[in-house]
Every structure is written in C-alpha cells, then in structure tokens.
Amino acid sequence: YSGSDLWLRYPEIEDPTLKKQYAKSATAVIVQNAGKNPVHRHTRDLRMEPGSREHLVTTTLEAAEDELVRGLEGLLGTKVPVHTKPGQHVPDGAVVVGTPKTSQIVRRYVDAEKLGTVGDDGYLIRSVSRGRHDFTLIAANTEIGALYGTFAFLRRMQTRQPVTDLDIAEKPRIAHRYLNYWETERLYAGNDETGTGGLNGENGAVFNFAATGESADRNLPVILDRYLVVARALASVGVNGITINNVNADNVYLTREYVEQTAALADALRPYGIKVGLSVKYTAPTDERFAPDTLTEDQLDPYGEEFRDWWHRKAKQIREAIPDFIGFTVKANSEGQPGPQDFGYDHGDGANGIAAALEPLGMTVYWRTFVYNADVDNDRLKRAYLEFGPIDDEPQDDGSVGRFADNVFLQTKNGPLDFQAREPFNPMFGRMENTNQALELQITQEYTGQNTMLCYLGPMWQEVLNTDTYATDADGELLDHRLVGNVVDGTAQGHSDTAIVGVANLGNADNLTGHHFSQANLFAFGRLAWDWTQDSEDIATDWVRMTWSNDDHVVETIVRMMMGSWEALVSYQTPLGVAHQFADGEHYKPYPSQWFLKDDWSPVYYNKADSVGLGYDRSPTGSNFTAQYFPTLAERYGDIESTPENLLMWFHHVPWDHRMDNGRIFWDELVYRYQMGVQYVTWMRETWDSLKPFLDARRWREVRDKLAQHEIDAADWRDTNVEYWQEFSGREIPSDDGPVSATFVVNGTEYGGFDLSADSYRIPIPAGGS
Ligand code: BDP
C-alpha cells in the first residue's frame, strides 16, 4: 500500500463483533435530492484522466452519498444499499443525510432552533429512535455542513468509536480555513520519477498546469484522481479554500489560458466546499503579457482609477470562470517582491487599492506581513509591526480607527522570524485590533526536517494557539479571552471575519506528502483550523487509527513517537531558542558558522556566538524587540531570569555559565539538549523496528529508511553545532552520564520517558565534537 488514500482508507474492520454492531447502524444510505443542486460551471467539459479510479460528482450531497457508500463498503466489507425514495418510512439502521431544504426527514426530525446554532458549516449527528426503528441523522443548514457531518460520522467508525446514542453538534471556530499552495517551492513531496524540478529537485506539484505538468494529457483541465483524493481529504477536515500558486507569484496565472485551467480545478473541488484563490504580484498590471491591457509604472497609484479598474477587470474576468473565487494573496515589499513602497505608498494604501477593486465582487485581499529589512532596524524581527502597526492605529475621518479595509486580511506567520521549529508568537497577534488578522502556519516541513525527518507539528501549533498574549484593551485592562487562538478566532477583540492559512505540503508523490508522517501534519492543520482548542494528541490518535492501524498497542506506540518528535527536532537542531542555523537557502542541514548573501539570512547573525555566550539580545539592553509585546510579556521576555528556557536565546545573549533551572550551567544543558534530541530519534527508529509485524510492508520499509537517515542527520546537527559552539565556550563536553531519560513536556504532558542510560539509547558524544 502506497499511502495514496491519505486518511480515507476504509480497510475492513477486523473485529467481527464490532463490525456487526456498526453494520446494524448502517443498513442503508438515504440522501434525498442528492443530485438537485449541481455546482459545476463547466460540467460538460470536465473529464477525468484515462483509467481513473475516482469519479466526478456534481453536487455536495452527491459527494456525501458517495463517501458514505465507499466508506461503509470498505469498513463493513459489504455494499450498503442507497434508498433514493424512502418516503416517510425510514428503515431501521439507516444513515440519513441532508438539510431542511433537501430532506423531509430532516425537516421532520430536527429541531430548527438547534440546527440554527451550528451555523453555515456546522452539523448535527443524532441517533433517532422511532419505536423499534433506530436511525442516524446527519443534518446541517447547508450541503457542505452535511458533508462535514458525513465525514465526522465515518471518522467515528474509522477510529472505532460508538455510533449509537449520538447527540453531536459541531461547528468551526474559524470561518476561512485555507491552504496556501506554493506550487513547486518548498514541497518536499515530489515523485522522484516524474518530478518536475523546482527549487529542491524533487518538488513535483500536485496540480498540473500547462507546461508545469507531467505530460500534456495529464494537464488541467484534465482532472487527475489525486485531485479528488485531495479534495475529499481536505473536506474531511474542513479545509474550505486553496490559494493555488506560489506567493512569489508568476503573472501567468492571471492569463486567460491559466484562468481556464484554474476554473476546471475549481469545478472539481467545488462539490467538496473548497474555493480557490490566486497569489498575485503587486505590479501585475505592468506585465506585457496582458497587452494591450497594461499600465505604466506611473499608473500604479493605488488611489488612481487606472490601477483600481485594472484589478477590477482582472477579478471580473476570473469571476466569470470561477463564480466563488476567494480573491488575491499578495506578498509585497518582501524578499524582492514589488509593492506599494516602491512607488511611494505604504502597505495600507496598496492593500486598500486592490481591496477597493475587489469589494464590489465580494472578494478578499490576503496581504502578507512577512517583511523584514535588517539594515533599518538592526533586528529583522521588528519590521512587520513597525510597518503595519501605525496603519492599524490610524484615526479615520469617520471616527473609526485603523486604515485597512474590511475586505483585507493581514496574513501573519505564527512567529516573528520565519517558520522556525520553535518561535515565540508574533507580537502582531493582539496588537492589530482594528484589522482582520489571518494566522499563517507552515505545514510543509521547510525548517522541520523536510521529507526526511519525522516531525509531527500538531503540538507546535497547539502551543502557538494556546499562548497567552496578555493583550489589554484601550484602558490597559487584560482582555478576558486573549490566547493567540482567541485573537485568530475573533473572540479576543470582537472580529466577526476570521481566517487561518496553512502553507501546504501536497505534491505528486504516491503518498502525496513525501514522508508518510507528513500526512499527519496536513490532517492536524485541518482539525486545528476547525477547532484550535482540540488536543494534538487526540488528533494524532485519530490520524494513526485512520491511517495505520487500530491495534491499541500500535496506536499507542506511534502516537508516543509522534508526540515527542517535534520537541526532539527542536532539541537536536535549535535548542533553547537559538534560531535559523541552516546551511544556505535549502534549510535542511546545519551550518552555524556561515555568513552568506545577507546578514539576516546568516546563521551567525542569529547565534551571535562569542566568548561570553550565545544568543540574540532582544531585551531593552539589546534590540528591544521585546517592547513590541504587551507589558506582561515585554517584562517577562526582557529579563533573562523570567524568560522561559525554551525561548532563552530568542531574547538573550546567554552567558556560557548561566545557571539553568535544573542547576546545570547553560553550556552543559545546551550539549545535553542536542544529545537528548538525537537519542529520541534513535528511540523512534528502534521502536519503529518493533512495529514491523503489525504494519504493511511498503510503508513500514519506507518509514524505516527515512528514520535511518533521520538519525544520521540529527547526529550531524548535534556534532556540527556542539563542535562550533565549543570554539567559543572553550569548555569541555560534559562528561557525566548525561540525561537519564529523554522526556519532553509537550503542552503540559510528558512524552518519551524511556531510559537513556540503557546502552542502546546512548550515542556517546565524541570528545571535542565529531
Ligand atoms: C520562506 C521561504 C520562501 C518563501 C518565504 C515566504 O524560504 O521560500 O517565499 O518564506 O513566506 O520561509 O514568503
């Protein structure tokens, strides 16, 4: 088995008793009026690749019916009949799906008021008893809500939970749950044989556009099986939008030829509730390929009619092909991308100019805040807030505060640097109270082991979302709800439009994500986007059950491996808050001594190693970046004694003999951390070996091979760094037995806990480095 179905595998349930029980609660599928509301624009022109396994559906309820039939057949091992015209009689054990509009059964058995509480995307799942007849009702206000409920019902069987006596009401906390798809950049999920190049060699994109595809007859508008697998999987976790091209945008996506292809993709995704958007360059209007409809640079005035009309025309053309088009994502004045500052305007002017053009079409601008310029601030981390903060604070003529338009989201990475394995949260969260804020997370493992290292990111995102911003109101009073997650879901500062964005890891690899365990990160992103208060261990458990096995021992073992894997990576790559120690632009291997191209791309800029210590002083005695946080945190992070140890070097230049909480000096602790991280990987590799009898051969072998390389590369991180730091510390490698157990506390729970003094888990650190 290649892993190509992601978590929608539906293998037959082994336990005969349970299978029988489930079968009693799934004797028939009833989705009334499933074919009634076709959502394709171009249904006639859409076609699947030759020999396809998947098939196109034209409505969202058809997708629900299709999934139930497929899922139940797989899990139960027999075909479950579909009743198309049940009338008033609902057979015992039926599963009924619908909305009040489409289903008289829903109208009859569901309380309208209760249904009202789950909103547009939510659903109810209820076990209904009618005398001797029991059936399950999956009801929603919209067809997409019904589809989400269907997946939730199937997930209960996939994870072996009860499907009787149900009374479930669910709805998402965040409205726009989107992916940003950077095409071939930073994917690490390409099929070696058919990979189409890109930055990192193996980066085959998941969607094939003209000239980027594998071969012409597999290019859009032809729909490949894997697009529908992706659509189903994304819908199953509630993702409802994709910006389909790189933020370093190529204007070709705005040409008619490409818009037509995007429209075909949008048609195929639409039944699954997934809308599409595009990344654009700010200067697209000057691109010759749109001639004669081009502007000169002088006409790029965001307040001018030419500029706004141009964007309006383009957006309108797109809408003709894609009626539910999301809008544009813009990376401006960032890493060489053009933007309003090149023409004497600021981000507010630029974003609002495009937003004004889109507003009559009901579209949105996602304006990224990933801006930095070390020359200006002597600390790259300060730039975003310096540029965006004042615009958010600006009083307006109408008496309101904040200049950004209502249909602008500022899209901000979780940390102030760039998707490092652990960052403090970005102080923009909470500080931009007058502007819509979208949180951007990186699902693709650019800085977290790419397609080689097993690193489950659920705990990282849980940590980010649950961090207290200590945000205050205008009177300086602490807000009631002020975690990063509250800022994002609008409850902190009363925002009604909300968004979260994940930079996707999908590619054309057989298993779609390169490393089998990278599938878990896509799954976890969707689940947390839906409800960020969920526990990352529960999410991991669901994923393992749906993807690998329901054997309790296997589930428990794999979940344990996953839960410590991120802390382990932090530990052997960048422990205690030292950041960005990567070689060149590939962002996989270590190179702490490197100085290249630009200061703020260089490991030395971040580590500041010297004879005194290690780390970047951002306290009031240093760059004073800490002042961008609300007072409680500004104070906490500004003082080395109160800074959490896992963020120490983000904020301080830590003396080699600084005393840590456990009594060790900083130097010793640092070395131990590197060692613990590597030993966790060794433990994962050995643990995985022990699972061989329980798992399918191909996937077990592929993961084993990755873990072997993972261990070698983790040891390289440890040795390269420890050896280099030693040149500055001048101290011996600590020579006692080191940590006796590698445990990592993840969101309050301890993982690992195995004994590292046992010889098998000890890789001695070579004296004096490697
Ligand atoms: C960095 C990536 C680069 C992206 C950039 C961004 O290395 O490929 O273009 O982020 O987010 O992490 O714009």
Side-chain angles (χ1 to χ4, degrees):
Y1 173 60
S2 67
S4 62
D5 289 318
L6 295 164
W7 47 88
L8 301 178
R9 250 187 103 194
Y10 309 123
E12 190 170 343
I13 293 166
E14 280 135 25
D15 177 352
T17 321
L18 187 68
K19 190 165 66 182
K20 245 199 182 142
Q21 269 174 29
Y22 281 169
K24 270 186 67 188
S25 303
T27 59
V29 169
I30 302 177
V31 190
Q32 291 169 296
N33 296 308
K36 265 252 169 85
N37 306 305
V39 292
H40 286 154
R41 289 259 309 162
H42 304 290
T43 319
R44 281 159 301 144
D45 311 333
L46 275 193
R47 67 191 155 90
M48 294 293 297
E49 65 179 302
S52 55
R53 291 180 297 130
E54 298 284 323
H55 65 271
L56 291 161
V57 294
T58 56
T59 76
T60 299
L61 284 181
E62 253 174 37
E65 181 182 281
D66 194 60
E67 199 69 31
L68 267 181
V69 168
R70 176 203 303 252
L72 293 174
E73 180 176 357
L75 292 163
L76 305 177
T78 86
K79 250 195 157 60
V80 175
V82 176
H83 289 211
T84 41
K85 295 216 162 51
Q88 290 295 324
H89 174 77
V90 184
D92 188 41
V95 181
V96 181
V97 183
T99 71
K101 231 168 139 185
T102 64
S103 161
Q104 84 218 70
I105 305 168
V106 169
R107 283 198 296 277
R108 174 136 175 226
Y109 292 102
V110 176
D111 180 44
E113 203 174 306
K114 184 141 191 221
L115 197 55
T117 62
V118 299
D120 280 350
D121 285 3
Y123 53 83
L124 303 175
I125 307 180
R126 285 192 46 212
S127 305
V128 182
S129 261
R130 294 276 299 154
R132 290 194 290 122
H133 276 192
D134 294 332
F135 62 93
T136 306
L137 196 51
I138 301 172
N141 295 302
T142 60
E143 295 198 8
I144 190 61
L147 179 63
Y148 292 156
T150 300
F151 277 112
F153 177 77
L154 283 168
R155 182 157 76 225
R156 295 189 71 81
M157 286 195 184
Q158 289 175 283
T159 58
R160 309 296 190 258
Q161 295 172 63
V163 296
T164 50
D165 297 317
L166 300 181
D167 186 12
I168 296 170
E170 268 280 343
K171 65 170 178 186
R173 288 176 193 268
I174 296 172
H176 309 293
R177 305 172 297 276
Y178 292 169
L179 298 182
N180 273 186
Y181 189 62
W182 291 356
E183 313 159 81
T184 56
E185 192 170 317
R186 315 291 189 191
L187 287 185
Y188 322 110
N191 229 345
D192 294 350
E193 291 80 33
T194 53
T196 50
L199 253 190
N200 299 285
E202 295 181 6
N203 286 344
V206 71
F207 305 125
N208 290 348
F209 281 81
T212 64
E214 292 156 1
S215 64
D217 62 345
R218 288 170 59 81
N219 282 336
L220 285 161
V222 176
I223 303 299
L224 304 186
D225 279 342
R226 68 172 186 252
Y227 305 172
L228 297 184
V229 174
V230 165
R232 290 169 46 230
L234 293 180
S236 79
V237 290
V239 168
N240 59 4
I242 309 183
T243 294
I244 55 155
N245 59 322
N246 196 344
V247 285
N248 300 311
D250 186 333
N251 294 331
V252 75
Y253 282 88
L254 291 173
T255 62
R256 265 180 208 286
E257 194 201 354
Y258 269 66
V259 169
E260 277 309 305
Q261 294 181 62
T262 306
L265 180 63
D267 275 346
L269 301 180
R270 190 169 297 113
Y272 302 92
I274 300 166
K275 297 179 188 159
V276 303
L278 284 175
S279 289
V280 298
K281 252 195 197 3
Y282 186 77
T283 52
T286 62
D287 192 322
E288 277 306 314
R289 75 184 109 189
F290 304 121
D293 188 12
T294 50
L295 303 185
T296 61
E297 294 215 338
D298 299 340
Q299 293 170 311
L300 293 181
D301 165 3
Y303 292 97
E305 258 172 49
E306 286 109 338
F307 181 85
R308 293 184 177 200
D309 286 352
W310 192 93
W311 282 109
H312 185 78
R313 269 195 308 282
K314 266 284 164 271
K316 217 164 138 196
Q317 277 167 20
I318 296 172
R319 197 183 61 174
E320 273 155 28
I322 308 170
D324 50 358
F325 185 72
I326 293 170
F328 298 132
T329 300
V330 191
K331 172 175 177 176
N333 294 121
S334 162
E335 299 189 323
Q337 293 299 320
Q341 292 173 348
D342 304 337
F343 309 96
Y345 298 96
D346 69 15
H347 288 288
D349 302 326
N352 285 354
I354 299 181
L358 300 192
E359 200 273 335
L361 303 168
M363 298 176 188
T364 304
V365 173
Y366 286 82
W367 192 270
R368 298 178 81 238
T369 68
F370 181 58
V371 298
Y372 56 89
N373 185 343
D375 304 338
V376 191
D377 313 309
N378 191 29
D379 182 355
R380 161 173 166 178
L381 271 53
K382 291 161 75 176
R383 196 84 298 250
Y385 184 58
L386 291 177
E387 289 187 9
F388 289 91
I391 305 172
D392 178 75
D393 289 339
E394 200 178 279
Q396 302 302 295
D397 291 343
D398 64 2
S400 67
V401 179
R403 194 185 347 136
F404 286 103
D406 286 346
N407 62 327
V408 173
F409 269 93
L410 292 186
Q411 183 170 314
T412 299
K413 295 186 183 188
N414 59 280
L417 179 51
D418 185 9
F419 295 140
Q420 300 301 291
R422 172 178 267 115
E423 297 200 28
F425 76 92
N426 194 318
M428 297 272 280
F429 291 102
R431 282 287 188 198
M432 306 290 295
E433 58 267 57
N434 305 307
T435 308
N436 296 319
Q437 282 259 70
L439 168 65
E440 182 180 303
L441 300 170
Q442 193 176 45
I443 305 166
T444 192
Q445 291 166 251
E446 173 179 0
Y447 294 101
T448 49
Q450 303 187 353
N451 56 3
T452 302
M453 294 176 177
L454 190 169
C455 182
Y456 172 51
L457 297 172
M460 184 212 296
W461 300 330
Q462 189 180 355
E463 178 177 287
V464 170
L465 288 158
N466 286 281
T467 301
D468 196 337
T469 64
Y470 289 92
T472 53
D473 62 17
D475 302 325
E477 294 290 327
L478 283 177
L479 301 180
D480 292 336
H481 304 285
R482 45 164 206 268
L483 306 182
V484 172
N486 296 125
V487 174
V488 179
D489 77 8
T491 53
Q493 293 160 328
H495 286 276
S496 53
D497 208 6
T498 53
I500 184 166
V501 176
V503 178
N505 58 352
L506 290 160
N508 68 5
D510 289 357
N511 65 11
L512 295 165
T513 58
H515 199 304
H516 288 293
F517 277 80
S518 300
Q519 296 183 353
N521 292 331
L522 188 62
F523 181 80
F525 169 79
R527 295 290 300 277
L528 288 171
W530 179 273
D531 180 359
W532 59 270
T533 68
Q534 290 180 97
D535 186 66
S536 58
E537 179 166 357
D538 293 342
I539 294 171
T541 305
D542 280 354
W543 178 78
V544 173
R545 287 183 177 276
M546 295 164 89
T547 309
W548 290 98
S549 163
N550 267 288
D551 176 305
D552 286 340
H553 165 71
V554 175
V555 174
E556 198 211 306
T557 308
I558 298 182
V559 169
R560 243 175 101 208
M561 287 172 57
M562 289 168 72
M563 287 308 293
S565 61
W566 161 61
E567 281 288 6
L569 177 127
V570 171
S571 192
Y572 65 71
Q573 284 198 340
T574 46
L576 302 171
V578 65
H580 216 309
Q581 296 303 300
F582 296 91
D584 299 310
E586 51 105 299
H587 299 163
Y588 182 74
K589 289 198 165 121
Y591 199 161
S593 61
Q594 195 182 24
W595 200 290
F596 75 105
L597 286 173
K598 288 170 60 166
D599 285 5
D600 58 359
W601 287 356
S602 306
V604 285
Y605 172 88
Y606 294 101
N607 66 51
K608 305 247 183 289
D610 62 18
S611 60
V612 177
L614 195 63
Y616 200 128
D617 185 1
R618 298 191 165 98
S619 76
T621 58
S623 77
N624 203 22
F625 164 68
T626 51
Q628 290 189 355
Y629 288 94
F630 283 93
T632 310
L633 287 185
E635 206 175 297
R636 183 173 300 168
Y637 295 159
D639 182 348
I640 193 170
E641 293 305 331
S642 52
T643 301
E645 288 189 343
N646 58 20
L647 297 176
L648 210 54
M649 285 185 275
W650 276 101
F651 297 116
H652 300 283
H653 190 66
V654 186
W656 297 116
D657 60 359
H658 172 79
R659 195 57 68 187
M660 304 294 287
D661 288 347
N662 61 14
R664 285 190 192 123
I665 60 164
F666 170 64
W667 164 252
D668 288 355
E669 179 69 9
L670 187 66
V671 178
Y672 284 138
R673 293 286 176 134
Y674 282 106
Q675 174 70 342
M676 271 169 66
V678 176
Q679 289 186 318
Y680 193 94
V681 179
T682 303
W683 172 78
M684 284 203 291
R685 179 180 53 70
E686 292 179 354
T687 304
W688 189 256
D689 281 346
S690 76
L691 292 175
K692 182 173 183 188
F694 308 103
L695 300 174
D696 47 286
R698 172 173 170 186
R699 288 190 304 162
W700 177 83
R701 180 171 30 82
E702 286 171 351
V703 171
R704 181 204 55 191
D705 293 349
K706 299 241 177 198
L707 282 167
Q709 190 62 45
H710 184 166
E711 186 182 18
I712 292 167
D713 296 342
D716 180 40
W717 268 91
R718 175 198 59 200
D719 297 340
T720 306
N721 284 285
V722 169
E723 186 181 2
Y724 178 64
W725 308 144
Q726 202 179 19
E727 288 175 27
F728 298 91
S729 81
R731 289 167 192 259
E732 292 298 304
I733 303 290
S735 61
D736 63 31
D737 285 338
V740 289
S741 72
T743 52
F744 297 108
V745 179
V746 181
N747 295 307
T749 308
E750 246 186 39
Y751 296 92
F754 42 86
D755 185 3
L756 290 184
S757 53
D759 283 348
S760 56
Y761 297 126
R762 292 198 62 77
I763 305 171
I765 299 179
S770 54

